Amino acid sequence: MLWKLIKLELKKTRWRGLLLSAVVTILMLVLWVVGSDVPNNDVETYDRAFQSIMNYVGITFVIFASVLMSRMVIDEYRNKTVTILFVYPVPRHMIFAAKLIIIGVWTFLTVIMGHLAVSAALLVANSHYHYITEPLTSDRLWEEAVRIVIIAVTAAGLSLVPLFFGMFRKTMPALIISSFIISNSGMVVMNNDVLYQSLQSMSILALVSVGVGTLMAYLGVRRSAEL
């Protein structure tokens, strides 16, 4: 049943525009990090460079997820099209679960794609301009690959939290503002120098973010059921 609901939501969503917007967003992040942040801030280590990428990509696509959430949840409430789904013999929480799974997976994938694209662009630019002179080993690249997955899981969890706040007013600004605050707070924690060096600690925080995001989304859905 859940998979059928997910397929239904996938068919309803206009992915072409979202994918195009994601590509444009990634290109803008590439231009910002490679053309401004790294050369103008005297970034001399890969840790500092990758932390910047993690920060920009994580915040950007958590906020991006709130736009998708607005389309899939808030707009359906405002247009009253969600009531059509409620007349079917399907538990309401299953309908929301399908939407939230799509939002979480979308965030996970876009964060990974964004991080890989910006990191690759940085490495290419660095091979020409030598912003960072320290050697980059294969072990360091594998470590960063693991870190990218952890950050993507963290962002996916954080992307669900704004639903709790968005259901109060059922407006896109409420979602955007809450996602901006949540994503910035989450990335500040993940960018802690001590935490950044510990993949185990980052993994624990990623799981915590998924748990908190799921709980907050559930409370938002439960609140909507009481309205």
Side-chain angles (χ1 to χ4, degrees):
M1 176 63 71
L2 181 60
W3 176 239
K4 290 182 179 180
L5 289 172
I6 291 174
K7 290 196 293 184
L8 176 62
E9 291 295 335
L10 289 173
K11 290 180 180 179
K12 288 166 53 182
T13 305
R14 298 177 180 177
W15 292 105
R16 181 176 299 180
L18 286 169
L19 288 171
L20 179 59
S21 297
V23 170
V24 172
T25 300
I26 290 172
L27 290 175
M28 292 176 65
L29 286 171
V30 167
L31 292 174
W32 170 254
V33 172
V34 176
S36 179
D37 183 68
V38 171
N40 292 336
N41 290 319
D42 297 324
V43 176
E44 298 178 349
T45 65
Y46 283 108
D47 279 353
R48 172 66 179 82
F50 289 141
Q51 279 181 289
S52 291
I53 295 172
M54 177 180 73
N55 188 53
Y56 293 130
V57 172
I59 292 173
T60 298
F61 283 106
V62 169
I63 296 173
F64 201 112
S66 67
V67 177
L68 178 59
M69 186 178 290
S70 177
R71 293 185 182 184
M72 295 183 67
V73 180
I74 303 302
D75 285 354
E76 288 199 353
Y77 262 96
R78 294 174 61 187
N79 300 331
K80 302 188 183 301
T81 54
V82 73
T83 57
I84 298 175
L85 292 174
F86 291 160
V87 300
Y88 292 108
V90 179
R92 183 175 295 193
H93 71 272
M94 292 283 283
I95 296 173
F96 280 99
K99 295 176 182 290
L100 296 176
I101 288 173
I102 292 172
I103 293 166
V105 171
W106 164 264
T107 306
F108 176 82
L109 293 177
T110 52
V111 168
I112 287 182
M113 290 188 296
H115 212 307
L116 290 176
V118 178
S119 297
L122 173 65
L123 294 180
V124 171
N126 191 64
S127 67
H128 292 283
Y129 300 106
H130 306 291
Y131 304 125
I132 303 170
T133 57
E134 70 172 338
L136 183 61
T137 64
S138 58
D139 288 342
R140 180 66 181 84
L141 284 174
W142 277 112
E143 179 182 320
E144 189 60 28
V146 173
R147 191 174 281 111
I148 289 172
V149 174
I150 294 172
I151 292 302
V153 172
T154 303
L158 293 177
S159 69
L160 304 180
V161 177
L163 180 62
F164 176 80
F165 302 97
M167 293 307 293
F168 280 96
R169 302 183 66 86
K170 295 186 175 63
T171 61
M172 181 181 286
L175 279 175
I176 298 294
I177 293 172
S178 60
S179 65
F180 178 80
I181 295 173
I182 291 164
S183 60
N184 272 274
S185 300
M187 289 305 112
V188 165
V189 174
M190 298 300 282
N191 267 293
N192 179 276
D193 289 335
V194 175
L195 179 63
Y196 184 81
Q197 299 300 326
S198 174
L199 293 178
Q200 182 178 4
S201 298
M202 290 185 72
S203 299
I204 292 172
L205 279 178
L207 294 177
V208 170
S209 74
V210 172
V212 172
T214 302
L215 175 61
M216 296 294 283
Y218 167 75
L219 293 175
V221 171
R222 183 176 178 180
R223 183 178 184 279
S224 71
E226 296 172 352
L227 297 178

